[in-house]
Amino acid sequence: MDHINLLNTAARRAEGLATELLREYKQKNVTTGGVDLTAICRQIIGEKEVVNQKKIVLELQSELKNAVTVSLSEAYLARIYSNLLNNAIDASESGGRVMTNIIQGPTMVKISIIDFGNGIDPETLSLIKLGRSVSKGKNETYDGGTGIGLSSAFCYIQEAGGNIEVESNVGKGTTVSIALPIILKDRT
């Protein structure tokens, strides 16, 4: 079996795993009480700083004053944020910087992860925006990913009524933003 067939088989297996994860997600009741997004991000940043061999500066800016209720569990939010933060760290040069911004609007909360790495080429970016699994190209120094993390994140966020936007400029960096609806409590 040649390398292309091996890669195609691995890609099909990865997409099957993403489908299975989505099926598992749909079977769970993921609506939760208030989720402290700032605390989740701060904890994951702390974990990443411990193993951060590239000495990337990880920054967090949050305007949230209180926990918010969203239609995604704390565990899924943590998994998605951790994966996106890993991607940003992987894309950054040693000594670089990755920022996380959390803002709240009247009906949505938005988490943006911003790196100042090499950016994503337009062809790959178009696949990402379609929710397709992609892995890092042959010119990348990191080879530990399967490419299903962002694809799975798209599925989970969309199922929760939110969206993911990816903006990138080659040579300048990438911003991945997650917007999730805030579940407003009935005030009667």
Side-chain angles (χ1 to χ4, degrees):
M1 195 182 246
D2 64 7
H3 290 9
I4 293 174
N5 286 338
L6 285 172
L7 292 173
N8 283 333
T9 300
R12 282 193 300 278
R13 188 172 32 253
E15 286 182 331
L17 176 59
T19 301
E20 185 61 33
L21 288 171
L22 181 59
R23 187 175 309 126
E24 175 186 321
Y25 164 79
K26 287 180 178 180
Q27 292 173 353
K28 293 183 178 183
N29 178 7
V30 296
T31 303
T32 66
V35 176
D36 190 341
L37 294 174
T38 304
I40 291 170
C41 292
R42 189 174 289 125
Q43 177 183 350
I44 291 170
I45 286 172
E47 294 167 4
K48 303 297 180 197
E49 287 176 333
V50 171
V51 296
N52 183 357
Q53 295 178 353
K54 293 170 73 176
K55 305 298 181 207
I56 306 294
V57 176
L58 304 175
E59 299 175 4
L60 174 63
Q61 296 178 345
S62 176
E63 67 176 37
L64 296 181
K65 304 289 187 249
N66 300 303
V68 294
T69 302
V70 296
S71 59
L72 198 59
S73 72
E74 187 171 322
Y76 279 104
L77 283 167
R79 181 187 298 173
I80 291 167
Y81 176 70
S82 179
N83 184 288
L84 296 176
L85 188 58
N86 281 341
N87 290 348
I89 291 168
D90 293 341
S92 298
E93 298 291 329
S94 290
R97 182 175 75 148
V98 173
M99 295 174 47
T100 299
N101 293 326
I102 306 173
I103 60 173
Q104 181 176 342
T107 60
M108 300 286 278
V109 63
K110 184 176 180 180
I111 307 168
S112 296
I113 300 100
I114 305 153
D115 72 61
F116 303 92
N118 294 326
I120 302 170
D121 66 84
E123 182 180 340
T124 303
L125 187 59
S126 66
L127 291 173
I128 289 170
K129 288 182 176 186
L130 292 172
R132 299 285 307 272
S133 296
V134 295
S135 59
K136 293 160 181 77
K138 62 184 175 189
N139 295 327
E140 295 289 329
T141 56
Y142 174 78
D143 63 353
T146 61
I148 65 167
L150 190 54
S151 177
S152 296
F154 267 94
C155 292
Y156 294 139
I157 298 298
Q158 288 173 346
E159 284 292 320
N163 64 48
I164 296 182
E165 295 177 2
V166 182
E167 299 174 14
S168 188
N169 291 307
V170 174
K172 295 185 179 182
T174 302
T175 299
V176 178
S177 297
I178 301 168
L180 285 168
I182 298 169
I183 299 173
L184 302 173
K185 300 290 184 191
D186 185 8
R187 296 183 179 162
T188 57

